[in-house]
Amino acid sequence: MLFRSDPEVACVQTVNTVRNGKTNILSRLVQMEYLSRYEVLYAGRSMALFMGSGGIFRTSILKQLDGFNGKMLTEDLEISYRIYEAGYKIVLDDNIATHELATTDCKNYYKQRHRWFRGIWQSYQIHFFKMLKAKMPIKNKFFFLHVIIEYFALLSYLYTIVLYSLDTFKIITFDAKYLVYIETITIAMVLVISFIKTKKFGLFFFLPLIVIYYIFYSLPNLMALIDNWVLRAEKNWVKTERTKGNVVTYPVFVKTNYKESMPQD
């Protein structure tokens, strides 16, 4: 167990998977996003963040930090900052997984992601300078800077798509096609690796939809930035409703080889 081998580990983040991926196209695309994150992007990092759903905490450290901040829109990310600021760390264990329900309609997807992104920017506002001043290894600070850049990079994809579209319709002159090609190929490569790694070859059929999905993914991110720093809109925690036909149950922890227990295509 990672807690026993390293006393500085405050939290173990598990892999998070989608168990209702076959419901419709949107849930399939969310499933693809989760696979790319947990099987490729997060798995390649020596440090992790607590991203909700699957987190195992050392209770003594959680109590030391006064637990979760109930005023935050994403209390999971906010506690991650405080864990690192206090000199502890979070690691990913890909032998454990939680299985959750993806949103299956555009309205609830947007509401959910808008809250997540508002919470991300809210946490950055509170902890950015604290992280820079905190006594921690320089690699930890670079890790958090990388995380910030990652979310801005998603906005850059939307920006380049807009520029490419405006140039295509001769509204402006700006050759952005190569930027679009590079970013799209990069996203596609990460997804392909995750499909191969988990042997979910049926998801290749949905790969052409990634451009549409990540444009849609970026919209709540953009609006969250505007609401946080331009409009100064009130921060409300909005419950994500589940559509008819989905049964809401608690996440299931699998302590053996979780890939064998994942819903099959």
Side-chain angles (χ1 to χ4, degrees):
M1 186 66 179
L2 293 169
F3 286 122
R4 295 174 182 172
S5 61
D6 191 342
E8 292 185 354
V9 173
C11 172
V12 175
Q13 169 67 52
T14 72
V15 172
N16 195 12
T17 65
V18 170
R19 71 174 186 268
N20 63 329
K22 291 192 281 188
T23 303
N24 58 25
I25 292 176
L26 179 58
S27 62
R28 276 294 194 197
L29 292 170
V30 174
Q31 180 186 27
M32 290 163 59
E33 176 202 340
Y34 275 44
L35 285 174
S36 68
R37 287 186 175 280
Y38 288 96
E39 293 294 338
V40 182
L41 298 177
Y42 296 165
R45 297 172 178 172
S46 60
M47 295 179 288
L49 297 173
F50 173 48
M51 303 300 290
S53 296
I56 306 168
F57 286 85
R58 195 186 297 271
T59 53
S60 59
I61 296 177
L62 193 59
K63 290 176 180 178
Q64 176 188 329
L65 299 176
D66 296 323
F68 293 100
N69 185 343
K71 296 180 180 180
M72 302 299 295
L73 293 177
T74 50
E75 71 287 344
D76 45 9
L77 178 62
E78 196 275 335
I79 192 71
S80 298
Y81 277 105
R82 286 189 282 130
I83 284 171
Y84 280 101
E85 287 167 7
Y88 301 107
K89 61 185 177 182
I90 304 169
V91 293
L92 176 73
D93 189 339
D94 61 3
N95 292 308
I96 312 172
T98 56
H99 308 294
E100 71 169 51
L101 292 170
T103 51
T104 54
D105 65 285
C106 293
K107 180 181 177 181
N108 278 298
Y109 176 91
Y110 182 89
K111 286 165 57 178
Q112 181 191 60
R113 297 308 175 100
H114 181 263
R115 176 177 64 80
W116 287 359
F117 282 120
R118 286 213 68 185
I120 288 169
W121 300 125
Q122 180 188 25
S123 296
Y124 288 161
Q125 283 180 289
I126 294 171
H127 289 281
F128 181 75
F129 290 107
K130 290 182 181 179
M131 291 293 299
L132 293 180
K133 295 177 182 178
K135 294 181 179 180
M136 64 172 67
I138 192 68
K139 69 174 183 178
N140 292 19
K141 297 184 180 183
F142 276 112
F143 169 66
F144 278 94
L145 288 174
H146 166 75
V147 171
I148 295 172
I149 293 170
E150 179 182 322
Y151 286 104
F152 276 112
L154 291 170
L155 285 176
S156 75
Y157 187 59
L158 175 63
Y159 180 63
T160 53
I161 290 287
V162 170
L163 288 177
Y164 178 68
S165 301
L166 292 174
D167 179 63
T168 300
F169 291 102
K170 308 301 181 184
I171 297 173
I172 64 170
T173 302
F174 188 90
D175 191 358
K177 62 177 179 292
Y178 293 110
L179 290 174
V180 173
Y181 296 162
I182 292 170
E183 292 183 7
T184 303
I185 290 170
T186 301
I187 294 171
M189 287 177 62
V190 172
L191 288 165
V192 166
I193 293 170
S194 70
F195 300 164
I196 295 172
K197 188 176 179 182
T198 57
K199 298 181 180 179
K200 288 189 170 292
F201 303 112
L203 294 177
F204 278 98
F205 178 78
F206 299 91
L207 203 56
L209 298 176
I210 61 170
V211 173
I212 297 173
Y213 178 72
Y214 278 100
I215 290 174
F216 186 45
Y217 176 94
S218 299
L219 291 177
N221 188 359
L222 177 62
M223 288 309 302
L225 269 175
I226 294 172
D227 285 341
N228 259 32
W229 290 327
V230 179
L231 301 179
R232 304 287 182 179
E234 185 178 353
K235 297 179 177 66
N236 294 317
W237 203 100
V238 180
K239 179 184 176 182
T240 302
E241 299 292 343
R242 303 299 178 181
T243 55
K244 186 177 180 180
N246 278 344
V247 178
V248 181
T249 58
Y250 292 102
V252 179
F253 282 86
V254 180
K255 295 185 179 180
T256 56
N257 185 347
Y258 83 88
K259 293 183 178 65
E260 295 178 357
S261 67
M262 290 171 66
Q264 299 300 309
D265 293 321

